[in-house]
Amino acid sequence: MYRKLMSVLLSAALICAASVPMGGRVYAAENENAVQTPLSLAQAITLMQTDSNAAKSAQLNKEADQAVAKGYSETYSNINDALDQIKGTSTVTQDQVSYSLYHMSFNDLVNSNPTLAPMVAYVTSGMNEQIAGTIKAARDAGANNNNLAITQLRRDFAKAHIESNYKADMNQIEYNTVQLYYGVLLARENVNTCTENVKAKSDILKNTQNMRTAGMCSDKEVYSAKADLETAKSELEAAKVTLKDTEMKFNYLLGRDVTAEVVLSDSLKKLPLPAGTEDEYVAQALANRPELAGADLAVKVYKKLLDGVNGYPRSSATYMNAKTAYDSAVYTNSTAPSQIEIDVRTKYANINALSAAVENAQKTYDYAKEGYRLTKLSYEAGMTTLANVQDIQATYHKAGLGLSAAIVAYDLGIYSFNYAVDVGTTRLPL
């Protein structure tokens, strides 16, 4: 019985799991000479969530979480079995042990042979020490009701959040894919805008040269127009370099040859605003965000740990540390809902501000485009200066870049908001 009891002693009351790092190269590179099929954003996300190193890491994380939950279950069973045997050992009488060993009680043994009384006293004394020692060893190894309760709490929490952790990993993969997909779209829009800028600068130079021939402007204006054109060409080359770098990173994410052609089917466009109210989304986040359950678990665990040192003096470091940890957990738990509410309301306000920024950028672009058209006509008719044309054309160019950037910022804000009212993008330690 003692050997069996010792075999279930616990090496630790609690166990922990290390997360599997994410990142790295995705599935094997495709044939760089193959014709690439146009890829939508939804297809890219599905691809990354099902057939990539990141997806494999997420699956490994899920399996690790399942192992953690199973470990808690096994630990709980071991503690429970040990407690049952401790209880049984502590109620065993000396005569019961004697009878199991010698088929005769110690009392009967002494009555039958009084000379055995010293030996019986020695044996029973040693037996009491053995039983006490076995129980102490089990207690020291973590076999107590407090650790049993803590392990049960962590087991139930781990089982309940395996799927939410996996979904958070999927959300992170989605966001990484969205960022790069939008990065390519934005880089291409910038190249297109810079190309239009070069064309506009070329037209201005041509008109300025014609006007100089007609004696309507000076050489200084011609040189100014030439300088503007060279600057525009430099900006275009820089935009092309950025595009090439972004496309290579996108190919790397998809596991293709980094120089493979990138063919995307989606274009840069503004996503619709969420249809619900701000209060509805706060309620949704409070129901979905696993951080709240984690904060509540911490309170329960630290309360059990505090109960476990209740016998220590209140002025001892052991008790004070446990009390501080518990108080901190209580504070975090009490403020967690407000923190999540602030996060959701801030992101909700942010997407509305970003939406307004897109609308304003669109108006600025439209006004600048029309202003440039009219000013260019006036310049060709000799009714305004080159400086005015250059200024309005520069405004038009910047407005085009600003509109593209505003759409990207808004759309990414929508994705961030959607994660905030769901389970987020960060997995919880179990």
Side-chain angles (χ1 to χ4, degrees):
M1 177 167 56
Y2 303 119
R3 291 192 185 94
K4 182 179 180 182
L5 177 60
M6 294 302 291
S7 69
V8 296
L9 296 180
L10 306 174
S11 62
L14 302 174
I15 61 175
C16 61
S19 62
V20 180
M22 292 184 62
R25 183 80 171 171
V26 296
Y27 61 90
E30 300 174 358
N31 182 353
E32 61 180 300
N33 296 318
V35 176
Q36 300 297 338
T37 302
L39 189 66
S40 70
L41 177 57
Q43 289 171 328
I45 292 171
T46 299
L47 192 61
M48 286 302 300
Q49 289 181 335
T50 57
D51 189 15
S52 71
N53 276 348
K56 292 171 185 175
S57 292
Q59 181 61 38
L60 290 175
N61 285 341
K62 183 177 182 179
E63 292 173 6
D65 284 347
Q66 291 170 336
V68 168
K70 184 174 179 59
Y72 284 134
S73 295
E74 293 175 354
T75 299
Y76 177 86
S77 297
N78 288 339
I79 295 176
N80 199 44
D81 290 346
L83 290 176
D84 286 344
Q85 292 192 48
I86 288 172
K87 182 178 179 181
T89 301
S90 63
T91 58
V92 173
T93 65
Q94 294 175 359
D95 278 348
Q96 287 173 325
V97 175
S98 171
Y99 186 80
S100 66
L101 296 175
Y102 309 109
H103 302 289
M104 181 183 294
S105 72
F106 283 130
N107 288 332
D108 292 342
L109 191 63
V110 171
N111 290 335
S112 65
N113 188 351
T115 61
L116 296 178
M119 182 199 72
V120 168
Y122 174 79
V123 170
T124 55
S125 174
M127 189 169 296
N128 286 336
E129 291 178 1
Q130 183 182 12
I131 292 173
T134 301
I135 293 175
K136 182 177 185 302
R139 296 293 189 190
D140 291 344
N144 57 65
N145 290 326
N146 212 32
N147 282 340
L148 182 69
I150 290 174
T151 304
Q152 182 178 7
L153 288 170
R154 302 203 69 170
R155 177 200 65 188
D156 295 344
F157 179 82
K159 288 181 178 179
H161 290 89
I162 292 173
E163 290 303 323
S164 65
N165 264 356
Y166 183 69
K167 190 173 184 182
D169 281 344
M170 290 293 103
N171 286 347
Q172 185 62 63
I173 292 172
E174 178 184 59
Y175 192 58
N176 291 343
T177 308
V178 168
Q179 284 181 308
L180 275 179
Y181 196 99
Y182 270 82
V184 174
L185 293 179
L186 178 60
R188 288 182 175 178
E189 285 296 322
N190 288 346
V191 167
N192 292 337
T193 302
C194 288
T195 300
E196 292 178 0
N197 189 45
V198 169
K199 183 180 183 303
K201 299 292 187 184
S202 297
D203 290 343
I204 291 174
L205 174 59
K206 182 179 179 180
N207 290 335
T208 304
Q209 288 172 330
N210 291 335
M211 293 175 69
R212 176 69 186 93
T213 301
M216 298 174 62
C217 67
S218 66
D219 289 339
K220 178 181 177 181
E221 289 176 305
V222 174
Y223 290 133
S224 177
K226 287 182 177 180
D228 267 3
L229 176 58
E230 293 306 315
T231 300
K233 289 179 178 179
S234 295
E235 290 179 357
L236 175 58
E237 292 306 312
K240 289 180 177 179
V241 170
T242 299
L243 173 59
K244 183 176 180 180
D245 178 67
T246 307
E247 288 181 336
M248 288 192 295
K249 289 177 180 177
F250 184 75
N251 278 330
Y252 178 81
L253 180 73
L254 295 179
R256 302 188 294 193
D257 185 90
V258 295
T259 60
E261 181 184 7
V262 177
V263 183
L264 306 181
S265 61
D266 287 345
S267 59
L268 203 58
K269 60 183 179 180
K270 182 175 180 288
L271 296 173
L273 277 165
T277 67
E278 185 175 338
D279 289 340
E280 288 173 344
Y281 287 119
V282 168
Q284 185 177 330
L286 292 176
N288 290 337
R289 293 280 283 271
E291 299 99 308
L292 294 177
D296 183 64
L297 171 68
V299 171
K300 294 175 181 177
V301 169
Y302 282 113
K303 181 61 170 64
K304 291 295 181 182
L305 293 174
L306 180 61
D307 291 342
V309 297
N310 199 44
Y312 283 75
R314 296 298 184 265
S315 59
S316 68
T318 299
Y319 182 85
M320 292 174 67
N321 287 334
K323 182 66 165 58
T324 299
Y326 171 69
D327 289 342
S328 177
V330 169
Y331 175 76
T332 299
N333 189 46
S334 66
T335 59
S338 296
Q339 294 294 329
I340 288 177
E341 181 176 357
I342 290 172
D343 180 47
V344 173
R345 292 190 185 280
T346 299
K347 284 183 168 62
Y348 187 86
N350 184 56
I351 58 175
N352 280 279
L354 291 172
S355 177
V358 173
E359 300 303 322
N360 291 334
Q362 182 67 60
K363 291 177 182 178
T364 299
Y365 175 78
D366 292 340
Y367 295 152
K369 181 179 181 180
E370 181 63 12
Y372 170 61
R373 187 185 71 82
L374 295 175
T375 305
K376 182 182 176 183
L377 291 175
S378 297
Y379 177 65
E380 292 171 354
M383 299 174 61
T384 190
T385 65
L386 174 63
N388 287 337
V389 177
Q390 290 174 324
D391 286 345
I392 192 63
Q393 194 277 326
T395 300
Y396 172 45
H397 173 58
K398 291 179 182 178
L401 296 175
L403 177 59
S404 298
I407 294 174
V408 170
Y410 166 78
D411 282 7
L412 292 181
I414 288 290
Y415 278 94
S416 294
F417 175 77
N418 289 338
Y419 301 139
V421 300
D422 190 33
V423 298
T425 58
T426 304
R427 61 191 346 272
L428 290 178
L430 304 182

